Amino acid sequence: MESAKPTPMNRRLLLATCALACLPAAGQTPEPAQTAGLEPAAIGWLQLLDAGDASATWASASAAFKAALTSAQWRQALQGARTPLGAVRTRRAKSTRFTRSLPGAPDGQYAVLEFDTAFENKTVAVETLTAVLESDGVWRVGGYFIR
């Protein structure tokens, strides 16, 4: 079953997050010490998302993510984008790419993670999560997209 047609709010979510999540990333791997917290941050954020805790995912997201969408806008966008898909059945890490620059974003340390995911109502999907290493040394989600 395909997800519902995009609403204006869903389109805004996709535009706000796609700027970070949908871009090809150059293979510029940061130092191992810098990447240590990436996987736990990404998996933890996805677990909050899977639990339906939109407020917690927004609160733990990057500053740029929170500047692009209010918590209420994020919650509404998730209801339109994730709810029709149903529960996550399986998720497998597919790839991680690193880059120092993304169009429309300041230079920094970015990671683009892709997951092959099967949902209850969409058995073949790719989740793309973009994380940014913020100035406090913590990886935070800056974008999320499902295709």
Side-chain angles (χ1 to χ4, degrees), residues 76-120:
Q76 183 180 1
L78 278 179
Q79 287 173 345
R82 274 290 296 258
T83 302
L85 301 178
V88 170
R89 295 294 184 210
T90 62
R91 178 181 287 126
R92 183 182 59 82
K94 181 178 179 177
S95 66
T96 300
R97 298 177 311 256
F98 295 93
T99 188
R100 294 187 187 277
S101 65
L102 295 172
D107 287 350
Q109 293 282 351
Y110 297 96
V112 179
L113 299 93
E114 288 186 326
F115 299 87
D116 285 325
T117 305
F119 293 93
E120 198 171 43

Short mmCIF file of all heavy atoms in Angstrom, two decimals, residues 76-120:
data_model
loop_
_atom_site.label_atom_id
_atom_site.label_comp_id
_atom_site.label_asym_id
_atom_site.label_seq_id
_atom_site.Cartn_x
_atom_site.Cartn_y
_atom_site.Cartn_z
N GLN A 76 2.86 16.76 12.85
CA GLN A 76 1.85 16.67 11.79
C GLN A 76 2.42 16.01 10.53
O GLN A 76 1.78 15.18 9.90
CB GLN A 76 1.32 18.06 11.46
CG GLN A 76 0.22 18.05 10.43
CD GLN A 76 -0.29 19.45 10.10
OE1 GLN A 76 0.19 20.43 10.62
NE2 GLN A 76 -1.26 19.52 9.22
N ALA A 77 3.63 16.38 10.17
CA ALA A 77 4.26 15.80 8.99
C ALA A 77 4.49 14.30 9.17
O ALA A 77 4.27 13.52 8.24
CB ALA A 77 5.58 16.51 8.70
N LEU A 78 4.91 13.91 10.36
CA LEU A 78 5.12 12.48 10.62
C LEU A 78 3.82 11.70 10.53
O LEU A 78 3.80 10.58 10.01
CB LEU A 78 5.74 12.27 11.99
CG LEU A 78 7.24 12.43 12.07
CD1 LEU A 78 7.72 12.21 13.49
CD2 LEU A 78 7.96 11.50 11.12
N GLN A 79 2.75 12.28 11.03
CA GLN A 79 1.46 11.59 10.95
C GLN A 79 1.09 11.32 9.50
O GLN A 79 0.56 10.26 9.18
CB GLN A 79 0.37 12.42 11.65
CG GLN A 79 0.49 12.40 13.15
CD GLN A 79 -0.49 13.34 13.83
OE1 GLN A 79 -1.09 14.21 13.21
NE2 GLN A 79 -0.62 13.18 15.14
N GLY A 80 1.39 12.27 8.63
CA GLY A 80 1.07 12.08 7.22
C GLY A 80 2.03 11.16 6.50
O GLY A 80 1.64 10.45 5.57
N ALA A 81 3.28 11.14 6.92
CA ALA A 81 4.30 10.37 6.20
C ALA A 81 4.52 8.97 6.76
O ALA A 81 4.67 8.01 6.01
CB ALA A 81 5.62 11.13 6.20
N ARG A 82 4.56 8.82 8.08
CA ARG A 82 4.89 7.53 8.69
C ARG A 82 3.69 6.69 9.06
O ARG A 82 3.70 5.47 8.91
CB ARG A 82 5.74 7.74 9.95
CG ARG A 82 7.23 7.88 9.78
CD ARG A 82 7.95 6.62 9.37
NE ARG A 82 7.93 5.52 10.28
CZ ARG A 82 8.91 5.17 11.09
NH1 ARG A 82 10.03 5.86 11.11
NH2 ARG A 82 8.80 4.13 11.88
N THR A 83 2.63 7.31 9.56
CA THR A 83 1.48 6.55 10.04
C THR A 83 0.92 5.60 8.99
O THR A 83 0.65 4.43 9.29
CB THR A 83 0.39 7.48 10.60
OG1 THR A 83 0.97 8.26 11.66
CG2 THR A 83 -0.80 6.72 11.12
N PRO A 84 0.74 6.05 7.73
CA PRO A 84 0.19 5.12 6.72
C PRO A 84 1.08 3.90 6.45
O PRO A 84 0.58 2.88 5.97
CB PRO A 84 0.09 5.98 5.45
CG PRO A 84 0.11 7.39 5.93
CD PRO A 84 0.93 7.39 7.18
N LEU A 85 2.35 4.00 6.78
CA LEU A 85 3.27 2.88 6.50
C LEU A 85 3.12 1.75 7.51
O LEU A 85 3.50 0.61 7.23
CB LEU A 85 4.71 3.38 6.50
CG LEU A 85 5.03 4.46 5.49
CD1 LEU A 85 6.47 4.91 5.62
CD2 LEU A 85 4.74 3.99 4.08
N GLY A 86 2.62 2.05 8.69
CA GLY A 86 2.49 1.03 9.73
C GLY A 86 3.81 0.84 10.47
O GLY A 86 4.77 1.59 10.29
N ALA A 87 3.84 -0.17 11.28
CA ALA A 87 5.00 -0.45 12.12
C ALA A 87 6.19 -0.93 11.29
O ALA A 87 6.02 -1.52 10.23
CB ALA A 87 4.64 -1.52 13.16
N VAL A 88 7.37 -0.69 11.81
CA VAL A 88 8.60 -1.20 11.19
C VAL A 88 8.68 -2.70 11.46
O VAL A 88 8.56 -3.14 12.60
CB VAL A 88 9.85 -0.49 11.74
CG1 VAL A 88 11.13 -1.17 11.28
CG2 VAL A 88 9.85 0.98 11.33
N ARG A 89 8.86 -3.46 10.40
CA ARG A 89 9.04 -4.90 10.52
C ARG A 89 10.53 -5.26 10.59
O ARG A 89 10.95 -6.05 11.41
CB ARG A 89 8.38 -5.63 9.36
CG ARG A 89 6.88 -5.49 9.33
CD ARG A 89 6.30 -6.19 10.54
NE ARG A 89 4.84 -6.15 10.48
CZ ARG A 89 4.09 -6.13 11.54
NH1 ARG A 89 4.61 -6.14 12.74
NH2 ARG A 89 2.79 -6.10 11.42
N THR A 90 11.30 -4.68 9.68
CA THR A 90 12.75 -4.89 9.69
C THR A 90 13.43 -3.62 9.23
O THR A 90 12.87 -2.82 8.47
CB THR A 90 13.18 -6.04 8.74
OG1 THR A 90 12.83 -5.71 7.40
CG2 THR A 90 12.56 -7.36 9.14
N ARG A 91 14.65 -3.44 9.70
CA ARG A 91 15.49 -2.31 9.26
C ARG A 91 16.93 -2.81 9.23
O ARG A 91 17.42 -3.38 10.20
CB ARG A 91 15.36 -1.13 10.23
CG ARG A 91 16.23 0.05 9.84
CD ARG A 91 16.11 1.21 10.83
NE ARG A 91 14.83 1.89 10.68
CZ ARG A 91 13.97 2.10 11.67
NH1 ARG A 91 14.23 1.69 12.88
NH2 ARG A 91 12.83 2.74 11.45
N ARG A 92 17.58 -2.58 8.11
CA ARG A 92 18.97 -3.01 7.96
C ARG A 92 19.78 -1.84 7.43
O ARG A 92 19.41 -1.18 6.46
CB ARG A 92 19.03 -4.18 6.97
CG ARG A 92 20.42 -4.76 6.77
CD ARG A 92 20.44 -5.89 5.75
NE ARG A 92 19.97 -5.50 4.44
CZ ARG A 92 20.74 -4.88 3.53
NH1 ARG A 92 21.99 -4.57 3.79
NH2 ARG A 92 20.25 -4.58 2.34
N ALA A 93 20.90 -1.58 8.09
CA ALA A 93 21.80 -0.51 7.63
C ALA A 93 22.28 -0.86 6.23
O ALA A 93 22.69 -1.99 5.95
CB ALA A 93 22.99 -0.37 8.58
N LYS A 94 22.19 0.12 5.34
CA LYS A 94 22.57 -0.08 3.95
C LYS A 94 23.90 0.60 3.64
O LYS A 94 24.79 0.01 3.05
CB LYS A 94 21.46 0.46 3.04
CG LYS A 94 21.69 0.32 1.58
CD LYS A 94 20.48 0.84 0.81
CE LYS A 94 20.70 0.72 -0.68
NZ LYS A 94 19.51 1.14 -1.42
N SER A 95 24.01 1.88 4.01
CA SER A 95 25.24 2.62 3.72
C SER A 95 25.36 3.84 4.62
O SER A 95 24.37 4.33 5.16
CB SER A 95 25.27 3.07 2.25
OG SER A 95 24.26 4.03 2.01
N THR A 96 26.59 4.30 4.75
CA THR A 96 26.88 5.56 5.45
C THR A 96 27.92 6.29 4.62
O THR A 96 28.94 5.71 4.24
CB THR A 96 27.44 5.32 6.86
OG1 THR A 96 26.49 4.58 7.62
CG2 THR A 96 27.75 6.63 7.57
N ARG A 97 27.61 7.55 4.29
CA ARG A 97 28.54 8.40 3.54
C ARG A 97 28.79 9.66 4.35
O ARG A 97 27.88 10.17 5.01
CB ARG A 97 27.95 8.75 2.18
CG ARG A 97 27.71 7.55 1.29
CD ARG A 97 27.04 7.94 -0.02
NE ARG A 97 25.89 8.78 0.14
CZ ARG A 97 24.63 8.40 0.02
NH1 ARG A 97 24.36 7.15 -0.25
NH2 ARG A 97 23.64 9.25 0.16
N PHE A 98 29.98 10.17 4.26
CA PHE A 98 30.36 11.38 4.97
C PHE A 98 30.69 12.49 3.99
O PHE A 98 31.22 12.24 2.91
CB PHE A 98 31.58 11.12 5.86
CG PHE A 98 31.30 10.14 6.97
CD1 PHE A 98 31.56 8.79 6.81
CD2 PHE A 98 30.76 10.58 8.17
CE1 PHE A 98 31.30 7.88 7.82
CE2 PHE A 98 30.49 9.68 9.20
CZ PHE A 98 30.76 8.33 9.02
N THR A 99 30.41 13.72 4.40
CA THR A 99 30.77 14.88 3.60
C THR A 99 30.96 16.08 4.53
O THR A 99 30.45 16.08 5.65
CB THR A 99 29.71 15.19 2.51
OG1 THR A 99 30.20 16.21 1.66
CG2 THR A 99 28.38 15.60 3.12
N ARG A 100 31.69 17.05 4.05
CA ARG A 100 31.89 18.28 4.82
C ARG A 100 31.01 19.42 4.34
O ARG A 100 30.93 20.45 4.99
CB ARG A 100 33.36 18.70 4.76
CG ARG A 100 34.27 17.70 5.44
CD ARG A 100 35.70 18.23 5.50
NE ARG A 100 36.60 17.24 6.00
CZ ARG A 100 36.79 16.98 7.29
NH1 ARG A 100 36.15 17.64 8.19
NH2 ARG A 100 37.64 16.05 7.66
N SER A 101 30.34 19.22 3.20
CA SER A 101 29.48 20.30 2.71
C SER A 101 28.25 19.73 2.03
O SER A 101 28.30 18.67 1.41
CB SER A 101 30.25 21.21 1.76
OG SER A 101 30.62 20.50 0.60
N LEU A 102 27.17 20.46 2.19
CA LEU A 102 25.91 20.15 1.53
C LEU A 102 25.34 21.46 1.01
O LEU A 102 25.42 22.49 1.70
CB LEU A 102 24.91 19.53 2.52
CG LEU A 102 25.25 18.17 3.11
CD1 LEU A 102 24.26 17.81 4.21
CD2 LEU A 102 25.22 17.11 2.03
N PRO A 103 24.76 21.47 -0.17
CA PRO A 103 24.17 22.70 -0.68
C PRO A 103 23.11 23.24 0.28
O PRO A 103 22.29 22.49 0.81
CB PRO A 103 23.53 22.27 -2.01
CG PRO A 103 24.30 21.06 -2.41
CD PRO A 103 24.66 20.37 -1.13
N GLY A 104 23.17 24.52 0.54
CA GLY A 104 22.19 25.16 1.42
C GLY A 104 22.48 25.00 2.89
O GLY A 104 21.70 25.45 3.73
N ALA A 105 23.58 24.38 3.24
CA ALA A 105 23.94 24.18 4.65
C ALA A 105 25.38 24.67 4.84
O ALA A 105 26.20 24.61 3.91
CB ALA A 105 23.84 22.71 5.02
N PRO A 106 25.69 25.15 6.04
CA PRO A 106 27.07 25.57 6.29
C PRO A 106 28.01 24.37 6.25
O PRO A 106 27.60 23.23 6.48
CB PRO A 106 27.01 26.18 7.69
CG PRO A 106 25.81 25.57 8.33
CD PRO A 106 24.84 25.28 7.22
N ASP A 107 29.27 24.61 5.95
CA ASP A 107 30.25 23.53 5.99
C ASP A 107 30.29 22.93 7.39
O ASP A 107 30.10 23.63 8.39
CB ASP A 107 31.64 24.04 5.60
CG ASP A 107 31.77 24.31 4.12
OD1 ASP A 107 30.85 23.94 3.36
OD2 ASP A 107 32.78 24.91 3.72
N GLY A 108 30.50 21.64 7.46
CA GLY A 108 30.55 20.94 8.73
C GLY A 108 30.81 19.47 8.49
O GLY A 108 31.28 19.08 7.42
N GLN A 109 30.52 18.67 9.48
CA GLN A 109 30.65 17.21 9.37
C GLN A 109 29.26 16.63 9.25
O GLN A 109 28.44 16.75 10.16
CB GLN A 109 31.34 16.64 10.62
CG GLN A 109 32.77 17.03 10.78
CD GLN A 109 33.68 16.23 9.86
OE1 GLN A 109 33.28 15.26 9.23
NE2 GLN A 109 34.93 16.64 9.79
N TYR A 110 28.98 15.98 8.12
CA TYR A 110 27.67 15.39 7.88
C TYR A 110 27.84 13.91 7.57
O TYR A 110 28.82 13.50 6.96
CB TYR A 110 26.98 16.06 6.68
CG TYR A 110 26.69 17.52 6.91
CD1 TYR A 110 27.56 18.50 6.44
CD2 TYR A 110 25.55 17.92 7.60
CE1 TYR A 110 27.31 19.85 6.64
CE2 TYR A 110 25.29 19.27 7.80
CZ TYR A 110 26.16 20.23 7.33
OH TYR A 110 25.91 21.56 7.54
N ALA A 111 26.84 13.14 7.95
CA ALA A 111 26.77 11.72 7.60
C ALA A 111 25.39 11.45 7.03
O ALA A 111 24.39 11.91 7.58
CB ALA A 111 27.01 10.85 8.83
N VAL A 112 25.35 10.74 5.92
CA VAL A 112 24.09 10.34 5.29
C VAL A 112 24.00 8.83 5.43
O VAL A 112 24.81 8.10 4.87
CB VAL A 112 24.03 10.77 3.81
CG1 VAL A 112 22.72 10.33 3.18
CG2 VAL A 112 24.23 12.28 3.68
N LEU A 113 23.03 8.38 6.21
CA LEU A 113 22.84 6.97 6.49
C LEU A 113 21.59 6.48 5.77
O LEU A 113 20.55 7.14 5.83
CB LEU A 113 22.67 6.73 7.99
CG LEU A 113 23.83 7.14 8.88
CD1 LEU A 113 23.62 8.55 9.39
CD2 LEU A 113 23.98 6.20 10.04
N GLU A 114 21.71 5.34 5.11
CA GLU A 114 20.56 4.74 4.45
C GLU A 114 20.26 3.39 5.09
O GLU A 114 21.18 2.64 5.44
CB GLU A 114 20.81 4.55 2.96
CG GLU A 114 20.81 5.84 2.18
CD GLU A 114 20.91 5.62 0.69
OE1 GLU A 114 21.58 4.66 0.25
OE2 GLU A 114 20.31 6.42 -0.03
N PHE A 115 18.97 3.11 5.22
CA PHE A 115 18.51 1.86 5.80
C PHE A 115 17.47 1.24 4.87
O PHE A 115 16.57 1.93 4.40
CB PHE A 115 17.84 2.11 7.17
CG PHE A 115 18.76 2.71 8.19
CD1 PHE A 115 18.91 4.08 8.28
CD2 PHE A 115 19.47 1.90 9.06
CE1 PHE A 115 19.76 4.65 9.22
CE2 PHE A 115 20.32 2.46 10.00
CZ PHE A 115 20.47 3.83 10.08
N ASP A 116 17.62 -0.06 4.60
CA ASP A 116 16.57 -0.81 3.91
C ASP A 116 15.56 -1.18 4.99
O ASP A 116 15.92 -1.85 5.97
CB ASP A 116 17.14 -2.08 3.26
CG ASP A 116 17.93 -1.77 2.02
OD1 ASP A 116 17.57 -0.83 1.28
OD2 ASP A 116 18.93 -2.48 1.76
N THR A 117 14.33 -0.73 4.82
CA THR A 117 13.32 -0.90 5.85
C THR A 117 12.06 -1.51 5.26
O THR A 117 11.64 -1.14 4.16
CB THR A 117 12.99 0.46 6.49
OG1 THR A 117 14.19 1.06 6.97
CG2 THR A 117 12.02 0.30 7.67
N ALA A 118 11.49 -2.43 5.99
CA ALA A 118 10.19 -3.01 5.64
C ALA A 118 9.20 -2.56 6.70
O ALA A 118 9.41 -2.77 7.89
CB ALA A 118 10.27 -4.53 5.59
N PHE A 119 8.15 -1.90 6.24
CA PHE A 119 7.07 -1.48 7.11
C PHE A 119 5.90 -2.44 6.95
O PHE A 119 5.84 -3.20 5.99
CB PHE A 119 6.60 -0.06 6.75
CG PHE A 119 7.61 1.01 7.01
CD1 PHE A 119 8.48 1.42 6.00
CD2 PHE A 119 7.70 1.63 8.24
CE1 PHE A 119 9.41 2.43 6.22
CE2 PHE A 119 8.63 2.63 8.48
CZ PHE A 119 9.49 3.03 7.46
N GLU A 120 4.98 -2.37 7.85
CA GLU A 120 3.78 -3.19 7.81
C GLU A 120 3.02 -3.03 6.48
O GLU A 120 2.57 -4.01 5.90
CB GLU A 120 2.89 -2.73 8.97
CG GLU A 120 1.82 -3.64 9.42
CD GLU A 120 1.21 -3.11 10.71
OE1 GLU A 120 0.97 -1.90 10.84
OE2 GLU A 120 0.96 -3.95 11.58
#
